[in-house]
Every structure is written in C-alpha cells, then in structure tokens.
C-alpha cells in the first residue's frame, strides 16, 4: 500500500499497490502550509528550542572529548557510542513504536534525554568529568534515541495527515538545521567564555519546550493511525516489507554508505579546525554554522517540492561526495569554510529526499518499523564508520579522511543509481535540448526512439 507518490515515481512499483486517492495525494502548497495545523505548530515550536540545545551539546561534547584526549579517534568513539544502540536495537525500537501511542512514548524518551544532559552538566561544572563519563552519556542518549527517533518521525503523519506530510518532514529538517545556525555559535561563545558545562545545562533545560508542547496538544485533532497488535514475527515482517520494495531498500542502502563514511563531520571538522588550520573551537563552530546555512536552504527548497524523486537523491549524493573531495584539497581556511554551504545544501537534499520518499511509500501500519530500519542504517552506521574515519584521519591526516568519505558517497551513488535504472528498465539518454546538452534516464523503449536523433 502506498500513502503518496513516492511509490509511483519508484523504478519498480508493486502491481498490487493501489494509487493514492485525491484525499491522500499531497498538494504542492506554500512553504509553511503545515504550520497552520495547531498540533504540528506546538510540536515545531518545541523542537526549535530543543534542537538549539541539541546542537550546543554536540559541539560541546566533541570539543570536550578532544580537549580531554587530544585524539580525533576518541571523538569518533564518542560518536560511535551514541549511535551504537541504534545499530543494535533499532529494529526492535521500530516494533515498539508501531505498537505504542506516539505522544506518551515521546514524553518518556524526551525526559530521559533531558536527565542525561543535566547529569553530564553536573559532572563538568563540578570539575569531576572524565572521558568515560562522556562515553556513558553518549550511549545513554543513544538508547533513548532507539525509540525516540522512529516515534518522532512517524508521529509527524499523525499531526498533519498525508496531504501535508512532505511539507512537514521538510520543515522538520529546516527546523533542525536552523537550530544549527544558533546552537554552534552559542556553544562556541560558551566554550571559550565559561566552558562546556553550561552548554550541557542549556540542552537539559531546553527539553522543557517540547515536553510542554506535547502536553498541550489536542488528542482529538490527531490523525488516527491503527497501531500494530502485539504478535510474533513483526520484526521479520518489517524487514521483508522493505527488502521486497526497490523504492525502499536501495535508498536505505545508499544513505547507509553516506551516513557511515561521509556524514562523520564531528571527526572531519574538528580535525580540520584543530590540526589543519590550527584555528580552535571558533573555527569548528563556524564550519558547522556555515554548513547549517546550506542545510536550511536545502530543507526549505524541499518543502516547496511536490514530490521526492529517487533521481534527485542519486544526483544529490553524487554532488555531495564530489564536494567533500574538493573540500579536502582546499589550501585555505576560508575556501574550506565557504564550501560548507553547498555541502550542507546537498547533504540535506539527500537526507530529506530519502526520508520523505520512504515515508510516503510506506503503509502507515509499517511506518515505525520502516523508519527504524532507515534510521538504524543512517545513524547506526556511525559506530562502524566513525572509528574507521577517525583512524584514517589520525594516521593519514584530515584531508585524506574527508576525501575518503566523499569518494565512498560518490561511488555508492553511482552504483546504486545504475541498479535503480536497471530495475526500472531505464537507460541513459545523452542528447541536446534547446541548444544545451542533456543527460537523463529514460524508459528503454523511449531510448530506442531517441537514439537515432541523438
């Protein structure tokens, strides 16, 4: 069953899938149309505050570990520990989310993450923090994320319904990345001024906003989604559901490679700031802020699009990988910093396009499990990739580490693009359109007609 046009644009749609009705087909509307929904507006506003705290903690956590150990590999280990629970238990979290009511579940997970941040703040502010404290806190946040991430992702459809789903998903990404404009800048000021402890404190207190928003929501205005009953084999059922659909499995495989090797920016950017340009925490914060500018632009552009096409995903991943390779060769800090903007734009395009196409191609009753698998691959790949790229960065330098991540992303996008074209019975068409060269994939029969003219 398809809940939107994502499956219709897929290379190999299931013949048993019924087309979306006029009631569920997403509209191409204004950039902020989903904010007209009161429940989603409360959710969005709460996330604005919490996301700022989250970005502050990310910057402070990476810099604290680097200060305590002097090792990029240790930063990679911290990232790995934070995402290891998703790798180990992500699918089970999805099963739970499909069974549970989303709003009470989020109240529990958000409270748990708040308490973890406050505990780490106390350890830092009292001067007793050790690197293993940060490792434990990162792992604890990861455990909460196992349930929190698929619950938040799938809760969006209950807030706005299928018509506004793509717009709401894109605005969520814009929200998260807009906070990235503020969070790293404030974190940089706090770290250099009073230390990392206050960044952790702010993050812990910031969870008051989303918890208040959840409590103020009107339950009667939620779009009811049938919960999966408790039963055996639901984990296997979710895996079979994804692996049997090319429009789901191949985008997930692609973001697995991108997330594992190319999205390890805590390792790359901290190493460039400290080892390559010798510019300190201020430069690290600036790199993250500039990347956020591009990410916000990418998310807002996605909010205006009516569909999420797989060809856009492949193209964006190819460009993203190429930009990382170019950034790895830049000789000056300012050239490297300016490249963070297009890197953020194309990275966010990969993220939003994958998220939206998967959600809109998935049966609502399966959405928790599918999104858990997606998040497990995207985020859970970090426990594998972060220590590897951290070791490469420590051994061969930050430039080699970043170039390696970009090369993996570009090669994966090219290979999976060819696989999707083959599955969809497509061929590459090279020709001219209005005096300009045009390269695109077309159905094989259409290719045969166009070939003589090209």
């Amino acid at each position: 069953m398809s809940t939107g046009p994502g499956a219709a644009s897929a290379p190999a749609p299931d013949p048993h899938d019924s087309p979306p009705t006029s009631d569920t087909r997403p509209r191409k509307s204004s950039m902020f149309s989903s904010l007209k929904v009161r429940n989603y507006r409360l959710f969005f506003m709460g996330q604005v505050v919490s996301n700022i705290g989250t970005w502050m903690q990310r910057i402070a956590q990476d810099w604290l570990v680097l200060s305590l150990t002097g090792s990029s590999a240790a930063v990679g280990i911290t990232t790995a520990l934070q995402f290891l629970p998703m790798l180990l238990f992500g699918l089970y979290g999805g099963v739970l989310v499909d069974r549970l009511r989303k709003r009470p579940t989020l109240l529990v997970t958000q409270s748990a993450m708040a308490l973890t941040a406050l505990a780490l703040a106390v350890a830092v502010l009292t001067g007793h923090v050790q690197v293993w404290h940060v490792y434990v806190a990162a792992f604890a946040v990861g455990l909460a994320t196992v349930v929190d991430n698929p619950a938040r992702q799938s809760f969006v459809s209950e807030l706005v319904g299928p018509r506004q789903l793509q717009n709401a998903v894109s605005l969520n990404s814009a929200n998260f990345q807009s906070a990235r404009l503020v969070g790293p800048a404030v974190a940089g000021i706090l770290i250099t001024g009073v230390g990392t402890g206050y960044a952790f404190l702010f993050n812990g207190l910031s969870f008051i906003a989303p918890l208040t928003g959840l409590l103020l929501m009107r339950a009667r205005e939620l779009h009811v989604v049938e919960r999966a009953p408790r039963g055996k084999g639901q984990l296997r059922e979710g895996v079979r559901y994804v692996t049997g659909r090319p429009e789901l499995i191949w985008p997930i495989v692609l973001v697995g490679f991108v997330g594992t090797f190319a999205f390890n920016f805590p390792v790359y950017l901290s190493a460039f700031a400290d080892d390559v340009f010798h510019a300190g925490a201020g430069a690290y914060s600036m790199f993250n802020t500039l990347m956020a500018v591009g990410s916000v632009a990418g998310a807002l552009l996605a909010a205006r699009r009516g569909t999420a096409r797989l060809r856009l995903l492949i193209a964006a991943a190819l460009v993203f990988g190429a930009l990382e390779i170019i950034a790895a060769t830049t000789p000056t800090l300012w050239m490297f910093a300016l490249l963070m903007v297009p890197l953020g734009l194309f990275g966010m395009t990969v993220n939003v396009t994958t998220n939206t196409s998967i959600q809109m191609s998935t049966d609502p009753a399966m959405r928790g499990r599918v999104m858990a698998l997606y998040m497990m691959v995207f985020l859970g790949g970090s426990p594998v990739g972060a220590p590897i790229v951290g070791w490469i960065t420590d051994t061969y330098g930050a430039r080699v580490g970043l170039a390696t991540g970009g090369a993996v992303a570009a090669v994966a996008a090219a290979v999976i693009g060819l696989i999707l074209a083959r599955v969809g019975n497509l061929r590459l068409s090279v020709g001219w359109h209005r005096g300009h060269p045009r390269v695109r994939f077309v159905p094989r029969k259409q290719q045969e007609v166009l070939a003589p003219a090209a």
Side-chain angles (χ1 to χ4, degrees):
M1 176 180 178
S2 173
T3 58
S9 64
D14 190 332
H16 298 290
D17 283 352
S18 57
T21 66
S22 58
D23 291 333
T24 61
R25 195 184 301 273
R27 303 175 187 174
K28 188 172 183 177
S29 54
S30 67
M31 187 178 290
F32 303 103
S33 57
S34 54
L35 288 175
K36 297 176 183 177
V37 180
R38 179 183 180 275
N39 281 345
Y40 178 73
R41 193 162 60 247
L42 287 169
F43 178 82
F44 185 90
M45 292 168 62
Q47 291 299 310
V48 167
V49 179
S50 181
N51 285 336
I52 291 173
T54 296
W55 277 111
M56 289 176 64
Q57 174 148 331
R58 285 191 177 189
I59 301 299
Q61 176 178 280
D62 298 338
W63 203 257
L64 176 62
V65 171
L66 195 63
S67 300
L68 290 172
T69 65
S71 169
S72 294
V75 177
I77 291 171
T78 307
T79 303
L81 286 170
Q82 186 159 332
F83 297 120
L84 181 62
M86 181 64 72
L87 182 63
L88 297 177
F89 311 116
L91 288 176
Y92 296 98
V95 172
L96 284 174
V97 167
D98 279 337
R99 292 176 182 174
L100 299 172
R101 293 166 58 200
K102 306 299 186 297
R103 188 163 61 144
T105 301
L106 288 171
L107 286 168
V108 173
T109 57
Q110 298 275 295
S111 298
M113 288 189 282
L115 292 174
T116 302
L118 292 173
L120 190 56
V122 170
V124 176
L125 292 173
T126 57
H128 294 97
V129 68
Q130 299 179 37
V131 69
W132 70 266
H133 294 149
V134 187
Y135 289 164
V136 171
F139 188 76
V141 169
L143 285 174
T145 303
V146 167
V147 176
D148 184 81
N149 240 320
R152 275 190 297 109
Q153 298 284 344
S154 54
F155 188 47
V156 174
S157 64
E158 296 187 22
L159 293 170
V160 300
R163 287 185 176 182
Q164 298 283 2
L165 180 59
Q166 171 152 343
N167 183 264
V169 169
S170 300
L171 288 182
N172 278 353
S173 298
N175 183 336
F176 188 69
Q177 297 302 327
S178 296
R180 192 175 181 177
L181 292 171
V182 180
V186 178
I189 294 172
L190 286 177
I191 291 171
T192 56
V194 294
T196 56
Y198 287 96
F200 298 125
L201 178 62
F202 181 94
N203 183 43
L205 296 177
S206 73
F207 282 95
I208 295 173
L211 290 171
T212 302
L214 289 167
L215 292 171
L216 290 176
M217 288 178 185
R218 297 170 182 164
R220 65 181 181 276
E221 295 179 6
L222 294 174
H223 294 256
V224 179
V225 174
E226 183 179 355
R227 285 180 283 158
R230 183 182 298 272
K232 294 182 179 181
Q234 290 178 322
L235 185 60
R236 292 191 299 272
E237 180 186 8
V239 173
R240 284 197 304 267
Y241 181 86
V242 171
T243 55
R245 292 169 173 256
E247 71 271 23
L248 296 179
I249 185 62
W250 289 114
I252 289 176
V253 171
L254 175 57
V255 299
F257 280 104
V258 174
T260 300
F261 296 99
F263 268 33
N264 273 291
F265 290 111
V267 177
Y268 297 137
L269 299 188
S270 61
F272 266 84
D274 195 46
D275 300 331
V276 177
F277 299 120
H278 309 289
Y284 180 48
S285 176
M286 179 182 67
F287 294 156
N288 280 277
T289 301
L290 289 172
M291 185 173 288
V293 172
S295 298
V296 171
L300 292 177
L301 287 173
R304 292 188 63 87
R305 286 194 294 267
T307 57
R309 298 184 180 275
L310 294 182
R311 66 189 181 191
L312 175 62
L313 170 62
I314 299 299
L318 275 168
V319 175
F320 177 73
L323 284 170
E324 284 202 341
I325 296 173
I326 294 171
T329 65
T330 54
T332 66
L333 182 148
W334 291 110
M335 290 179 64
F336 182 83
L338 289 176
L339 280 172
M340 295 300 101
V341 177
L343 264 174
L345 190 152
F346 284 99
M348 182 51 55
T349 301
V350 171
N351 192 349
V352 172
T353 304
T354 307
N355 190 316
T356 306
S357 65
I358 288 174
Q359 288 215 49
M360 297 179 72
S361 301
T362 302
D363 188 322
M366 299 291 295
R367 192 167 284 144
R369 279 164 282 182
V370 173
M371 293 310 296
L373 179 61
Y374 162 63
M375 298 307 298
M376 183 189 76
V377 173
F378 183 53
L379 299 179
S382 293
V384 178
I388 294 174
V389 300
W391 175 80
I392 293 173
T393 299
D394 278 344
T395 306
Y396 301 102
R399 296 187 184 278
V400 174
L402 181 59
T404 301
V408 170
V411 170
V415 171
I416 291 173
L418 292 174
I419 292 173
L420 286 171
R422 184 176 180 83
V423 170
N425 199 31
L426 302 175
R427 283 187 175 183
L428 187 68
S429 171
V430 181
W432 291 84
H433 179 70
R434 297 180 180 178
H436 300 283
R438 179 166 67 173
V439 181
R440 58 176 181 157
F441 285 105
V442 299
R444 288 181 183 272
K445 290 183 179 180
Q446 185 179 350
Q447 169 73 14
E448 293 168 2
V449 173
L450 294 176

